[in-house]
Amino acid sequence: MTDFKALLRTLTDSGVEFILVGGVAGTVHGSTRLTVDVDAVYRRTPQNIDRLVLALTPYHPYLRGAPPGLPFRWDAATIKRGLNFTLTTDIGDVDLLGEITGGGGYDDLAGTTLSIRVFGIECRCLTLDKLIEVKRAAGRPKDFEAIAELEAIRDERSRGGRT
Amino acid sequence: MSDESPSSLDAIIATYKAGLDRSLIRRSLERTVEERLETLMQLQEFAEELRRAGRAAGVG
């Protein structure tokens, strides 16, 4: 099980700059769909990569779905060589994304986020409009129903004046 | 980027939208973000319990 609270706290306590995207961002906006991991776009500066390494090292990150025993090292060099990492950790599954289709990287997305406070933790989340836009841009069939729900949420909000 | 043209993607999404239970969405919007995330974790726990039960019954 993914402990969303622990994952968010670990990242924010370590000063990692990240933006929530994907299913958890959908939940933030009101989605009723079940998601089992945290998707986050992280800033690819050397300092932030160092913070990311320090944040997750105690929780033994490993490539999700990979056979055990691979020579995977969770360090800055690995992150710099790669871009997107689907990881499992002791506190749950997390997808760390350097870039997303239709949205780019952290700095590209930073202007289309909102600040949320959850479990006493302050973090950034993609806006509903941007979330819909990037999911549409990705065009993955598995997202079609999620896009429909997010658009329905947008309709409901504009109808009910909810934000 | 998908091969779907915008118009066909719109049509597909409209079909999904027509089948949505909006009462669930309205109920979700009445909750706080924290409550929604807590619900997610409870659902994960429930799903895991069901998987365990399935395995114990020899169907998982």
Side-chain angles (χ1 to χ4, degrees):
Chain A
M1 194 183 97
T2 296
D3 187 337
F4 297 110
K5 197 189 302 188
L7 264 171
L8 295 181
R9 187 171 299 285
T10 296
L11 294 173
T12 51
D13 282 357
S14 302
V16 176
E17 294 171 284
F18 69 96
I19 297 166
L20 288 173
V21 298
V24 169
T27 301
V28 166
H29 291 296
S31 170
T32 62
R33 298 169 65 79
L34 178 61
T35 189
V36 293
D37 60 8
V38 171
D39 297 322
V41 173
Y42 65 98
R43 195 173 197 199
R44 278 183 65 83
T45 58
Q47 298 85 350
N48 200 48
I49 287 173
D50 288 343
R51 289 191 284 258
L52 194 51
V53 170
L54 286 174
L56 291 184
T57 294
Y59 304 104
H60 310 105
Y62 192 70
L63 297 171
R64 194 158 73 237
L70 290 181
F72 175 71
R73 289 169 63 94
W74 179 245
D75 59 18
T78 297
I79 300 178
K80 282 173 190 164
R81 274 197 303 271
L83 184 67
N84 296 340
F85 298 88
T86 55
L87 302 173
T88 186
T89 75
D90 297 343
I91 49 176
D93 294 342
V94 59
D95 291 357
L96 293 169
L97 311 166
E99 283 179 8
I100 54 173
T101 305
Y106 181 97
D107 291 331
D108 302 307
L109 292 168
T112 49
T113 62
L114 66 153
S115 177
I116 61 160
R117 192 166 183 83
V118 59
F119 305 125
I121 304 159
E122 192 140 352
C123 54
R124 302 208 69 80
C125 177
L126 218 53
T127 62
L128 180 57
D129 284 343
K130 191 66 181 179
L131 187 58
I132 292 168
E133 186 186 316
V134 297
K135 279 189 178 286
R136 275 181 166 268
R140 297 178 303 185
K142 71 168 195 160
D143 282 338
F144 291 167
E145 199 171 351
I147 296 168
E149 191 197 33
L150 292 171
E151 292 189 358
I153 288 168
R154 185 165 60 187
D155 298 343
E156 289 295 325
R157 280 181 174 175
S158 53
R159 197 169 299 152
R162 280 178 279 224
T163 55
Chain B
M1 188 73 183
S2 163
D3 290 337
E4 301 287 347
S5 68
S7 57
S8 75
L9 183 59
D10 285 344
I12 292 166
I13 289 168
T15 305
Y16 277 111
K17 264 174 108 169
L20 285 175
D21 182 346
R22 288 188 179 241
S23 66
L24 290 177
I25 293 173
R26 288 183 197 119
R27 201 182 309 160
S28 175
L29 289 175
E30 286 165 6
R31 297 190 178 123
T32 65
V33 173
E34 239 170 72
E35 286 169 338
R36 288 178 210 145
L37 288 174
E38 294 280 10
T39 302
L40 256 190
M41 286 192 281
Q42 285 163 12
L43 282 172
Q44 280 186 80
E45 220 168 305
F46 180 53
E48 187 49 42
E49 186 57 34
L50 290 176
R51 278 192 288 269
R52 267 196 296 268
R55 282 194 298 270
V59 295

